[in-house]
Each structure stands twice: as C-alpha cells, then as structure tokens.
Amino acid sequence: MKFKKQFTFIAFILIVVIIWTLLWNRITTNNTVLLAKFNRDFLNTHDTKQITERMVMSTPKAPNEIVISVVSCGMRLQETLNMLKSALMFNVDKVALKFIIVTETSSIASFREKLEDWLVLTKNEFTFEILPLTFPEKHKNEWKNLFKPCAAQRLFLPSLLSHIDSVLYVDTDTLFLTPVSDIWHFFTEFNSSQIAGLSPEHEDRNVGWYNRFAKHPFYGPMGLNSGVMLMNLTRMRKFKWEEYILPLYKEFKLKITWGDQDLINILFYYHPDKLYLFPCEWNYRPDHCMYMPVCKATTGVKILHGNRGYFHADKQPIFSTTFRIVQEYRLGDDLYNNFLMTLESALADSTVVQSNCGKVSDKLLIKSRELFKEVEYYYNTR
C-alpha cells in the first residue's frame, strides 16, 4: 500500500513537469514569432543602413590612436613644436598620439631631432611621420603661395594621407588646453553625411568679416574658421573633395582673401550637410575677447588659437603669455608647479589683467585646474 502511494506521488510530479514544459515551449514560440514579425515590420519601414550607423554612433569607443596633422613652413618650426608639446602635456589619459608634419625639406631634420628627444622623455607616448610638401603639379606654385606659406597643403591631405582614416588638423599657432581626446570625440557625433568639423569664424554679426566683406559664398551667417579642423579623410576621399576644390579655386581665385579658408567656406556653402559645427571654445581666438567677450566657453577654453601673430605680440597678452609658459615648460616636469602655477601667476600680472582678453583669462585655466592638482603630484613624486 505504501509503495502504491509513493508511485502515485511520483506520477503526479511527472505529469506536472510535462504540462509546465509544454506551456513554456508554447509561450517561448509565440514570443519568438511576435519578435520576428516585429523585426520584419520594423526593417520594412526603416532604412537599415541608417539604423546601423546610428547604433554605431551611439556607442563611441575609446580611440586606439589620435592623429594630429599640421603643415609647417617658413619660420613656423618653434610654433609647431610648441603646439605638439601642448598636446603631450595634456595627454593625461595616455592615448596613443600620432603626429603628421608636412613641411619643407629644409626643416625635416630639425623636427626629427626634437621629436626623437621627446620620445625618450615621454617613454614613446607618440609616433610621428614627417612628409615633404606635395601639391598638384598643375598650378603648383600658386597653391604653395596661397595665403600663408604652404597653408593650402591642408586641402590635399585626403590624397597625401591615403593611409590614414581621420585626422585633427590644426594650424601651427594653436595650443591645446585640454586632452586631444576631448575634441576627437566629436567624430562619434558626426552623422552619416558629415565629412569634417569646424567652428564659426565669428559669434557677432557686428564684427563678422565674411558677412560684411566677402565677395564669394560662405557657410552660414558668418562663415567658418579653418584653424582647427576635424577631417574624416575616408569620407572626404569618397566625396571626391579635391575634385570639388580645384574648380572652386578656378572660379573664385580673384575673389578670395583668406586662401584655403575661403575655399573651404565656399565648398560648405554648397554642401552644408557635409559639415559638423563645433563651438568656439575649441578654436578660441583674439576676436572672441578683444572687443568684448563673445564666446561663452563656460567649461573653459579648450584650444587657444593665436592667429594673426597674437602669440608673438603684446596686443592681448594672454595669448603671448600662455605661449611663453608652454615654451618654457620641459616635458616630464611637474605640471602642477612648473606649468599651472607658473601660468596662473603670469596671467595675474597687471598688463594681462588690464587688457580686454585678460578679463576672461580664468577660462584658460579651467581644464588645467581640473587635471593638474597639487595633491596628485605630491603623492606621485614620493
């Protein structure tokens, strides 16, 4: 009798398990069918290419290598080295940097010697390439002398750097005041059509150059400044960038004033959908403060651009002072005491404070104060 009761109990348990399994399989199957139907309906009503691109853009990854490209000619060697040094100073996240310098043959040895010294000081934190100037044979001398010496070389980086996907191009007269990875992140915000990123030339119509004087088309209400430029070279090659530039030069060469920058403005006037616009703090220039503050830069100046010789003049001394402090800093030294404290002291000088741009000098220090803290250097050097 006892055995019969045990058998009945075991049989009951088996029946319950079988029924549960059948019900679960049915629920799972129905859900799979519904999910498949949803996917079919969704994909039939959406562009799958755009969906994929948006998914990729929404999950940016840390860059394996950041490429900074610069074109340096004439008396720009020291200015270029100062810019590269500032990139290394602020590379606190130790991202692999690659410098690509396009220059005259006579300057190649000088660049190589200095950069090889820096490799030792930074324990191979970066790599570099030094390339000679390369312009299209047709109108070669015109291109070379367009506006500043050899500045137009930047227009031909897509073909010159055929082995590179993307670069951050900067003029020689710029200084990084934030990690380069911060601006590089903007590439992840490009939509599927954008090939380059730039900042506006002006923030105020009353002092804008393009809206008042330009005799050629230009982008947006006040044009673009080309001193800091994110370039997706792969997309630019696909767009056939250089095939557009050459005809634009032929058509407008008698109307342009600012050389390659004007040509870039003309191109994006006709193709505004190809441009990503980033704010003024990533290309902060004397025009943003010499009359009145017109660039809010609430999170600080990220890239300082001393265009028109302001790094070498005393008209607005925050530019020449910052350049000098970067130049005097030795790679590997304590960034808190030998850079930040020195810069704070220099910017507090009366000649700086009494100038128009000096009134916003604290904006130059925001990121440095965040990154270079006394306590960190105290414990790191014990």
Side-chain angles (χ1 to χ4, degrees):
M1 186 71 177
K2 185 176 181 182
F3 177 79
K4 186 176 180 180
K5 286 182 179 179
Q6 289 177 341
F7 178 81
T8 302
F9 178 76
I10 293 170
F12 173 76
I13 294 297
L14 287 172
I15 291 169
V16 171
V17 170
I18 291 169
I19 292 171
W20 173 253
T21 302
L22 290 171
L23 287 172
W24 177 256
N25 286 341
R26 184 171 182 181
I27 291 169
T28 305
T29 302
N30 287 341
N31 285 342
T32 303
V33 171
L34 288 171
L35 181 59
K37 183 177 185 301
F38 171 80
N39 286 338
R40 284 196 303 272
D41 293 342
F42 183 80
L43 294 175
N44 284 336
T45 56
H46 292 77
D47 185 338
T48 55
K49 183 179 179 182
Q50 288 184 358
I51 293 166
T52 302
E53 288 170 344
R54 286 173 186 170
M55 288 174 66
V56 171
M57 293 298 180
S58 66
T59 54
K61 297 179 180 179
N64 294 322
E65 184 178 64
I66 290 176
V67 184
I68 300 173
S69 179
V70 62
V71 179
S72 178
C73 291
M75 305 298 290
R76 300 277 181 160
L77 186 143
Q78 184 55 55
E79 200 173 66
T80 306
L81 289 171
N82 229 29
M83 178 274 293
L84 298 175
K85 184 200 286 187
S86 70
L88 292 169
M89 290 167 60
F90 280 85
N91 189 29
V92 294
D93 44 6
K94 302 303 178 186
V95 172
L97 299 179
K98 183 182 183 71
F99 300 146
I100 299 182
I101 303 155
V102 187
T103 189
E104 297 160 310
T105 305
S106 58
S107 297
I108 290 177
S110 297
F111 274 116
R112 184 176 300 280
E113 180 182 1
K114 193 65 174 179
L115 292 174
E116 286 176 350
D117 288 343
W118 286 359
L119 282 172
V120 176
L121 291 172
T122 62
K123 299 179 181 178
N124 298 315
E125 191 176 301
F126 66 96
T127 59
F128 67 90
E129 289 184 46
I130 306 175
L131 303 174
L133 298 172
T134 306
F135 291 100
E137 283 301 320
K138 192 172 183 181
H139 307 301
K140 183 175 181 178
N141 288 331
E142 282 186 84
W143 284 119
K144 185 173 181 180
N145 296 305
L146 182 67
F147 192 47
K148 296 178 183 178
C150 70
Q153 177 70 80
R154 175 252 306 273
L155 299 173
F156 306 102
L157 290 182
S159 59
L160 180 63
L161 306 182
S162 59
H163 58 302
I164 300 293
D165 174 68
S166 298
V167 301
L168 168 62
Y169 168 88
V170 288
D171 282 350
T172 61
D173 52 0
T174 53
L175 291 173
F176 290 95
L177 299 178
T178 195
V180 188
S181 55
D182 289 351
I183 187 170
W184 192 265
H185 180 77
F186 284 137
F187 276 122
T188 66
E189 298 184 8
F190 280 26
N191 65 29
S192 59
S193 68
Q194 290 166 337
I195 64 175
L198 291 159
S199 66
E201 169 69 13
H202 283 285
E203 306 294 320
D204 184 349
R205 281 181 174 273
N206 293 322
V207 295
W209 192 90
Y210 282 106
N211 58 293
R212 292 188 298 156
F213 304 118
K215 296 181 174 61
H216 58 76
F218 54 89
Y219 176 90
M222 288 174 280
L224 301 165
N225 184 278
S226 62
V228 179
M229 185 173 183
L230 291 164
M231 305 173 73
N232 186 316
L233 300 178
T234 299
R235 291 185 180 183
M236 293 173 81
R237 287 186 286 265
K238 186 175 180 181
F239 174 66
K240 301 188 184 301
W241 166 272
E242 291 174 27
E243 292 184 20
Y244 283 98
I245 287 294
L246 292 167
L248 289 177
Y249 172 67
K250 184 176 180 181
E251 181 177 355
F252 293 103
K253 66 179 181 178
L254 298 180
K255 296 181 179 180
I256 60 177
T257 302
W258 307 112
D260 55 316
Q261 177 171 292
D262 287 348
L263 291 174
I264 290 169
N265 266 279
I266 296 167
L267 188 146
F268 286 118
Y269 168 83
Y270 291 112
H271 303 278
D273 60 308
K274 302 297 180 185
L275 180 74
Y276 176 89
L277 197 66
F278 54 75
C280 54
E281 59 262 34
W282 298 95
N283 187 358
Y284 194 93
R285 305 181 304 282
D287 291 334
H288 289 130
C289 56
M290 61 192 296
Y291 303 115
M292 66 182 77
V294 293
C295 175
K296 293 181 180 179
T298 53
T299 59
V301 172
K302 309 299 176 57
I303 297 179
L304 190 67
H305 186 179
N307 62 337
R308 301 198 303 274
Y310 272 76
F311 279 155
H312 313 290
D314 293 325
K315 291 178 285 187
Q316 296 297 332
I318 68 165
F319 290 88
S320 57
T321 299
T322 306
F323 183 88
R324 175 177 58 81
I325 299 302
V326 172
Q327 186 174 10
E328 292 173 354
Y329 173 79
R330 294 192 310 168
L331 282 176
D333 282 356
D334 180 337
L335 279 160
Y336 175 79
N337 287 303
N338 294 15
F339 172 67
L340 176 56
M341 290 292 95
T342 306
L343 181 59
E344 283 194 346
S345 176
L347 292 180
D349 186 90
S350 59
T351 59
V352 176
V353 173
Q354 292 168 10
S355 65
N356 282 348
C357 289
K359 294 177 174 62
V360 296
S361 60
D362 267 3
K363 293 182 183 295
L364 275 64
L365 298 166
I366 290 177
K367 197 66 178 182
S368 295
R369 286 169 173 165
E370 176 188 325
L371 295 174
F372 312 136
K373 298 177 181 177
E374 183 177 20
V375 65
E376 293 178 6
Y377 286 94
Y378 174 76
Y379 285 108
N380 286 341
T381 55
R382 284 173 66 86

